[in-house]
Amino acid sequence: METTHTGIVYIVGAGPGNKKLITVKGVECLQQADIVIYDLLLNDALLEHCPAHTEKIRAPDPRIRANRQAELNQLLVQHAKAGKVVVRLKGGDPYVFGRGGEEAMTLTQAGIPFEIVPGVTSGIAAAAYAGIPVTHRDYASSVAFVTGHSAALHPDSNINWEQLATAVDTLVVYMGVAHLREIMERLITHGRDPQTSVSLVRVGTTPQQFVIQGTLSDIVEKVEAVQLKSPAIIVIGEVNRLREELRWFDNNPLFGKRILVTRARAQASEFAGLLEANGAEVIQFPTIEIRPLEIESTEIPSPDQYDWIIFTSVNAVEIYYEQLRKKRQDTRVFGGCSVCAVGPKTVEALNSIGIYPDFVPSHASGKVVATEIENIQEKKILLPRAKIAIADLPTILRERGAHVDDIPIYDTVKVESKCSNTIQKDLLDGRIDFVTFTSSSTVTNFLEMFPSYAAKDLLAKVRVAVIGPTTEATATEHSVRVDIVAKQATIESLVEAIIVECSNLSE
Ligand code: SAH
């Protein structure tokens, strides 16, 4: 990307609200920003693309005071003149009802280089996420984007409602919720059929998307009944009828469900991604962090001194392998040693370093592993695992005559959360649908974060979903009522179990 002595301003479209609907170029700009000046965004997560040094400035809102736009323009010019890379981040597309044109004009006049990064505009995207294509060969060959802001309805307005009413197949009105009645009346007055289909899509593309449908003549009443507030787009035209067949987003199995993910942030993305792909809103609330113990790698035994090595988690595989790597050892040292892996993810982690385990027990519980593994009498077994781990695995192995070296290589440490107050309130008010626990320590740490509540009160209004029997046992021990246990101890299976529960609930 170009940089010049005087700096540069990128006027970037942030997309309609869903954090993935920003362009690749938009993300690149954020990654290079010294300064980001952003509007009230539907998704603050976009700012996470910025490096640590980026100064984030909330733009003054021009709707509140007229001279705010001047203040904003001043900010852009001043920072660019100081040689900074400035990103002006705007909702949707910057040139669709976004005053992006005015801002670019200021920059031109001040002689400041700028680039426009178009964005996905809500008038198209929110409609698409509601199952409404704004054009369709059989229903609409033209579309107009119109502002419904009060000025648009003023007698001096340059919007030609008279012609617009019937000249265009699909009308998409932005900023029109507050004036819905006047807009509908105007269209009918100017000849649009009162039975024309109308949709309002509120906060489209987000997990809170809400769609309401009616006709020019009855939509006002319907909208008033649910007290729908902006931001919403209004779509007028026959294309609305396609929603019934083309709906795909807000009928996802977990749509509208708010799900708390308590596992370590570093491990949460796959789980969160799967839940989101099924329509859920994921609230990340990490209760643990995985921290490799500070041990000299020379103190970590190599597998060639053992008959068996048992890996009980992905962390164990990754951290142990990293220690071997530090000793400049590779997979050849596994040569004479049999490998046991607990759980499919652990198998995958081993596969990815080129090891195919000799034995995978039928269940991910210490007891099962210890009883199913064969030929261990008088054998040397290495167990590299978490500092705090349940004792039954080594105990039973020893009872069966094995020599076990139980070596802690990582610790799961509690994290202090800044948002536990909000979460607590949401839990108590029933605003969270599911709490998920993917290990015993997530359960205990979670409960420790809310010392003033008994588990049964705190979790009275939510469903508790756990990954497997060990986690379930820990939960039960701490008086947590478990509603859902995954069939296999994997996140895929956990997501599936939550989906099944949701479909049972809605029946
Ligand atoms: N530049 C923006 C529009 C800014 S005007 C764009 O291209 O999308 C603000 C209006 O956009 C809101 O009043 C509302 O009508 C619409 N809007 C923005 N985000 C929306 C969303 N996620 N769902 C529905 N309407 C949205």
Side-chain angles (χ1 to χ4, degrees), residues 290-327:
I290 309 295
R291 218 175 267 167
L293 293 179
E294 283 182 27
I295 333 168
E296 282 301 320
S297 52
T298 45
E299 289 174 31
I300 302 272
S302 299
D304 51 7
Q305 304 161 26
Y306 292 87
D307 302 298
W308 276 101
I309 181 165
I310 304 179
F311 290 106
T312 53
S313 71
V314 174
N315 297 320
V317 174
E318 287 174 351
I319 294 165
Y320 182 72
Y321 194 62
E322 178 59 23
Q323 290 287 14
L324 291 185
R325 212 185 52 78
K326 281 190 195 151
K327 289 200 281 188

Side-chain angles (χ1 to χ4, degrees), residues 4 9-10 12 174 340 410 443:
T4 69
V9 177
Y10 295 101
V12 176
Y174 292 62
C340 166
Y410 68 93
V443 178

Side-chain angles (χ1 to χ4, degrees), residues 40 114 147 172 208 269 325 355 376 389 393 396:
L40 183 64
F114 67 89
T147 170
V172 180
Q208 294 81 33
S269 64
R325 212 185 52 78
I355 293 174
I376 54 165
L393 178 55
I396 301 174

Side-chain angles (χ1 to χ4, degrees), residues 16 42 91-93 96-97 121-122 126 174-175 201-204 231-233:
L42 281 177
D93 180 274
V96 179
F97 304 125
T121 190
S122 57
Y174 292 62
M175 295 174 281
V201 185
R202 178 168 198 277
V203 291
I233 49 151

Side-chain angles (χ1 to χ4, degrees), residues 115-128:
E115 283 187 24
I116 304 298
V117 182
V120 175
T121 190
S122 57
I124 295 173

Side-chain angles (χ1 to χ4, degrees), residues 303-429:
D304 51 7
Q305 304 161 26
Y306 292 87
D307 302 298
W308 276 101
I309 181 165
I310 304 179
F311 290 106
T312 53
S313 71
V314 174
N315 297 320
V317 174
E318 287 174 351
I319 294 165
Y320 182 72
Y321 194 62
E322 178 59 23
Q323 290 287 14
L324 291 185
R325 212 185 52 78
K326 281 190 195 151
K327 289 200 281 188
R328 299 194 58 78
Q329 292 185 329
D330 55 37
T331 43
R332 284 172 294 178
V333 287
F334 283 86
C337 175
S338 300
V339 177
C340 166
V342 181
K345 287 288 155 190
T346 312
V347 174
E348 269 174 37
L350 282 166
N351 291 167
S352 72
I353 56 170
I355 293 174
Y356 298 90
D358 301 277
F359 178 65
V360 180
S362 63
H363 265 92
S365 97
K367 239 182 229 149
V368 174
V369 180
T371 17
E372 283 187 357
I373 191 166
E374 287 177 351
N375 265 336
I376 54 165
Q377 178 88 29
E378 291 303 319
K379 293 285 161 64
K380 285 188 77 186
I381 301 182
L382 177 63
L383 201 55
R385 44 178 208 153
K387 194 170 164 196
I388 310 165
I390 298 168
D392 31 344
L393 178 55
T395 310
I396 301 174
L397 291 171
R398 286 187 187 118
E399 281 166 11
R400 293 186 55 209
H403 306 285
V404 184
D405 281 345
D406 190 0
I407 309 282
I409 55 167
Y410 68 93
D411 202 1
T412 51
V413 292
K414 216 162 63 183
V415 287
E416 296 304 323
S417 170
K418 280 173 259 146
C419 59
S420 54
N421 280 345
T422 330
I423 300 286
Q424 178 173 307
K425 202 159 179 313
D426 281 0
L427 285 169
L428 294 172
D429 294 348

